């Protein structure tokens, strides 16, 4: 069936020029889901083109979230003082007993929040226990397709349990606790690799909108054979690889103890690092690690909010950029940093760089932050230059901010305003692939009231079903909460914590 391509022309808006720190009036011509031309007001358009009125709006490319977890949606706000290791210990309580429908709902919650806050694409690492499934991944993919958002959906997988992955931790547990955590063992890697292969082979979504990837969760939570299997699958199917590398100091220490080399060096030895590879966080990368990533054309998803929320420290974005690493910006999942607000992540990326020392010339600029949250993230997602910019040939993923909103009164500097002032509340409309997903502050693709009802019944049921998992977490808390911070006090050649209490 031949479908007639729709023409749309956006007239009257002001287009962000991040490098120029300005926003001049500009018209945008769209055919179907692609931008055909960007030009001065009065841009020529074919007859019968639909006119989209953008007067009083600042237009910027849809923000791209380089790192999140759809499974975090249902766990939003469940904890406060969690280190990464306590969060991982809480995993069965937060994510246990989920049905396929729960996975869908959890992912929809995050996707809805992202588009309402000006984000048009994300990289989602989604977990299932004891292993990933074709149906679980399809449910996550369907959530993004229903919202009308682009996404990379990657099964987050491992074959070594958290308690086995941290050197010395298992020995700290009582025999009774050891028995209880033994029940939380992941499936053997061969089974998981088989499931991922099935999912990649039978992927039911259009790769231009919702595409798959592979995410071995944390390097030392995966055997070498498993990491190599993931690497080969990603290569065979031409998809991305994404893993949490040196997110916490505990991980950096564990890597050094286990491999006699950094986690990055270990992954490089196994051949995982290349242009399709994304490091999540990378707080505890050293200069050699960064150089290695830069030389191989790899990306880092920088999640400044999550890094502070979980007490992992302050990542060195300048060090990464100086060594040629592609840097994208992410929120991380709602169980680790709660909201899914890319404006906040951009603001924090700027702030976190500005507390790292007095040499202000080293601080990340607002222009660099915008570049990372658009171009940088787009590259990490593997969409190249098809998204993350408003230019001829790119997808029509455009956010319209209301410049009569208090955030933009006065309108001084478009780039600084976007990073340091905007918080998502001026988002008026969001277009993805030429279609309005948010119109006049309202989500048009799904009904939020229905979502709220469905989520509340799932939430109440899961709270009941995961009561025992919560009790187990509470028994493990004093041990993990003492042992891991102790490990993090091991001296290391790099420092990423903001300050010390003593
Ligand atoms: Zn993560």
């Amino acid at each position: 069936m031949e479908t007639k391509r729709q023409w749309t022309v956006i007239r009257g808006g002001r287009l962000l020029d991040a490098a120029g720190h300005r926003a001049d009036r500009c018209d945008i011509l769209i055919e179907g889901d692609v931008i055909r031309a960007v030009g001065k007001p009065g841009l020529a358009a074919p007859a019968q083109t639909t006119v989209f009125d953008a007067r009083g709006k600042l237009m910027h490319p849809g923000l791209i979230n380089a790192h999140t977890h759809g499974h975090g949606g249902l766990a939003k706000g469940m904890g406060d003082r969690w280190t990464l290791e306590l969060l991982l210990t809480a995993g069965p309580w937060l994510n246990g007993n989920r049905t396929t429908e729960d996975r869908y709902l959890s992912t929809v919650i995050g996707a809805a929040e992202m588009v309402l806050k000006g984000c048009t694409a994300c990289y989602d690492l989604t977990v299932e226990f004891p292993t990933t499934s074709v149906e679980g991944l399809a449910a996550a993919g369907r959530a993004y397709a229903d919202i009308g958002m682009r996404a990379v959906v990657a099964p987050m997988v491992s074959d070594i349990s958290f308690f086995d992955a941290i050197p010395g931790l298992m020995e700290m547990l009582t025999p009774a606790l050891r028995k209880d955590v033994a029940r939380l063992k992941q499936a053997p890697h061969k089974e998981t690799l088989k499931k991922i292969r099935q999912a990649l082979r039978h992927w039911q979504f259009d790769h231009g909108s919702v595409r798959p990837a592979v995410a071995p969760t944390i390097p030392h939570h995966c055997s070498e054979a498993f990491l190599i299997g993931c690497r080969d699958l990603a290569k065979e199917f031409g998809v991305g690889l994404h893993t949490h590398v040196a997110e916490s100091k505990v991980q950096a220490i564990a890597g050094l103890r286990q491999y006699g080399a950094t986690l990055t060096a270990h992954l490089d030895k196994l051949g995982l690092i290349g242009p399709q590879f994304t490091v999540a966080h990378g707080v505890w990368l050293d200069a050699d690690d960064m150089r290695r990533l830069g030389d191989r054309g790899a990306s880092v998803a920088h999640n400044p909010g999550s890094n502070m929320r979980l007490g992992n420290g302050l990542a060195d974005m300048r060090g990464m950029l100086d060594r040629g690493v592609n840097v994208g910006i992410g929120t991380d999942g709602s169980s680790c940093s709660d909201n899914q607000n890319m404006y906040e992540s951009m603001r924090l990326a700027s702030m976190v760089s500005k507390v790292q020392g007095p040499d202000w010339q080293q601080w990340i600029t607002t222009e660099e932050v915008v570049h990372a949250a658009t171009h940088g993230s787009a590259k990490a997602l593997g969409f190249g230059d098809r998204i993350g910019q408003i230019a001829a040939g790119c997808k029509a993923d455009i956010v319209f901010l209301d410049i009569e909103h208090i955030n933009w009164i006065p309108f001084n500097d478009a780039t600084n305003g976007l990073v340091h002032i905007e918080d998502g509340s001026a988002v008026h409309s969001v277009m993805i692939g030429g279609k309005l997903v948010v119109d006049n502050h309202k989500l048009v693709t799904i009904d939020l009231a229905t979502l709220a009802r469905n989520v509340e019944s799932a939430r109440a049921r899961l709270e009941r079903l995961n009561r025992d998992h919560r009790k187990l977490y509470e028994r493990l808390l004093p041990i993990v909460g003492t042992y891991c911070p102790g490990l993090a006090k091991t001296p290391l050649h790099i420092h990423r914590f903001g300050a010390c209490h003593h």
Side-chain angles (χ1 to χ4, degrees):
M1 192 180 77
E2 200 179 312
T3 48
K4 232 170 92 189
R5 305 222 82 180
Q6 285 285 319
W7 289 89
T8 305
V9 66
I10 301 168
R11 297 202 191 277
R14 293 172 66 172
L15 180 61
L16 172 74
D17 170 3
H21 286 257
R22 54 191 295 134
D24 297 332
R25 247 173 251 295
C26 214
D27 288 357
I28 302 169
L29 181 66
I30 298 165
E31 184 189 9
D33 64 345
V34 178
I35 297 169
R36 288 294 170 215
V38 178
K40 290 204 165 70
L43 183 70
Q48 282 157 1
T49 295
T50 308
V51 177
F52 183 91
D53 183 2
R55 280 174 300 176
K57 307 292 182 299
L58 169 64
M59 305 181 288
H60 71 76
L63 303 174
I64 302 170
N65 189 348
H67 186 80
T68 188
H69 301 284
H71 60 260
L74 278 166
K76 193 195 289 180
M78 277 173 74
D80 177 16
R81 297 201 297 180
W82 273 338
T83 63
L84 173 66
E85 287 70 30
L86 287 174
L87 173 73
L88 295 172
T89 305
W93 161 32
L94 305 183
N95 309 314
N97 289 301
R98 298 252 180 111
T99 63
T100 303
E101 184 59 15
D102 294 332
R103 293 184 217 299
Y104 171 82
L105 284 176
S106 189
T107 311
V108 165
I109 297 168
E113 182 178 355
M114 281 189 264
V115 293
L116 281 164
K117 295 176 181 171
C119 173
T120 54
C122 75
Y123 209 137
D124 176 357
L125 283 67
T126 189
V127 80
E128 278 178 76
F129 182 80
T131 189
T132 190
S133 73
V134 173
E135 312 77 63
L137 291 169
R142 188 161 51 84
Y144 292 109
D146 286 357
I147 292 289
M149 176 180 179
R150 293 183 210 283
V152 179
V153 175
M156 188 168 87
V157 289
S158 58
D159 64 340
I160 298 171
S161 84
F162 166 71
F163 298 93
D164 286 314
I166 306 288
L169 178 58
M170 197 60 108
E171 289 89 88
M172 303 304 293
L173 305 186
T174 61
L177 276 173
R178 253 182 251 176
K179 224 167 99 194
D180 284 338
V181 302
R183 267 184 241 128
L184 305 170
K185 267 217 180 317
Q186 284 85 346
H189 73 260
K190 280 192 181 144
E191 186 186 329
T192 298
L193 289 171
K194 207 167 118 195
K195 293 272 171 59
I196 301 174
R197 173 177 290 282
Q198 276 172 5
L200 294 172
R201 189 176 284 156
H202 303 292
W203 195 252
Q204 55 181 284
F205 305 97
D206 166 25
H207 277 233
S209 301
V210 180
R211 62 174 63 172
V214 183
T217 180
I218 297 168
H220 58 109
H221 292 221
C222 301
S223 63
E224 289 194 8
F226 191 27
L227 287 171
I228 288 168
C230 289
R231 174 200 72 188
D232 291 347
L233 273 177
K235 202 167 172 195
E236 182 183 339
F237 288 89
V239 300
L241 269 173
H242 196 139
T243 179
H244 300 82
V245 183
E247 175 178 359
S248 69
K249 192 175 172 193
V250 171
Q251 290 180 353
I253 303 279
L256 285 171
R257 288 210 185 157
Q258 210 161 314
Y259 309 119
T262 65
L263 294 161
T264 307
H266 175 65
L267 291 170
D268 198 24
K269 196 185 92 194
L270 298 179
L272 270 81
I273 302 178
Q276 83 301 338
F277 181 77
T278 300
V279 161
H281 304 275
V283 180
W284 294 87
L285 297 175
D286 66 17
D288 281 344
D289 295 333
M290 293 177 192
R291 207 167 294 121
R292 219 180 266 270
L293 293 170
D295 290 350
R296 300 258 187 273
S299 300
V300 168
H302 176 38
N303 310 303
S306 167
N307 295 341
M308 290 193 280
R309 165 86 160 79
L310 298 176
N312 286 321
L314 314 173
D316 180 11
M317 180 169 164
R318 173 62 66 212
M320 296 170 192
L321 292 179
D322 280 352
R323 292 172 182 93
V325 180
N326 174 57
V327 178
I329 290 178
T331 58
D332 209 352
S334 289
S335 51
C336 350
S337 69
D338 308 299
N339 74 29
Q340 299 289 296
N341 188 339
M342 278 295 291
Y343 296 105
E344 185 187 276
S345 294
M346 288 201 294
R347 188 166 194 268
L348 292 176
S350 168
M351 302 292 173
V352 157
S353 99
K354 286 160 177 130
V355 297
Q356 291 186 16
D359 300 326
W360 59 271
Q361 295 94 333
Q362 293 296 312
W363 295 351
I364 299 295
T365 66
T366 51
E367 181 193 340
E368 287 172 311
V369 170
V370 173
H371 189 269
T374 52
H375 291 70
S377 293
K379 192 170 170 232
L381 264 66
F383 282 90
D385 51 12
R386 298 280 287 161
I387 62 171
Q389 50 186 320
I390 296 176
C394 295
K395 295 287 184 186
D397 297 356
I398 306 169
V399 176
F400 301 86
L401 298 175
D402 186 353
I403 51 181
E404 283 168 9
H405 187 279
I406 192 63
N407 286 354
W408 293 95
I409 304 173
F411 193 116
N412 277 322
D413 179 306
T415 312
N416 295 344
L418 196 71
V419 174
H420 288 156
I421 305 168
E422 185 51 52
D423 53 5
S425 53
V427 172
H428 180 276
S429 304
V430 178
M431 180 182 275
I432 304 179
K435 284 190 198 135
L436 276 188
V437 175
V438 176
D439 185 13
N440 196 8
H441 303 276
K442 290 230 157 48
L443 189 59
V444 296
T445 43
I446 63 150
D447 177 40
L448 280 185
T450 309
L451 177 68
R453 272 196 307 277
N454 293 340
V455 165
E456 175 48 27
S457 93
R459 191 204 63 76
R461 174 174 43 80
L462 290 169
E463 185 177 52
R464 231 174 19 248
L465 289 174
N466 287 318
R467 216 166 267 160
D468 286 346
H469 284 325
R470 182 175 188 164
K471 281 190 192 134
L472 177 59
Y473 168 75
E474 280 158 4
R475 285 163 59 216
L476 289 163
L477 170 68
I479 300 165
V480 177
T482 310
Y483 183 77
C484 291
L487 210 55
K489 287 185 182 126
T490 311
L492 197 64
H493 59 293
I494 50 169
H495 302 278
R496 300 281 186 252
F497 289 129
C500 294
H501 294 296
H502 42 82

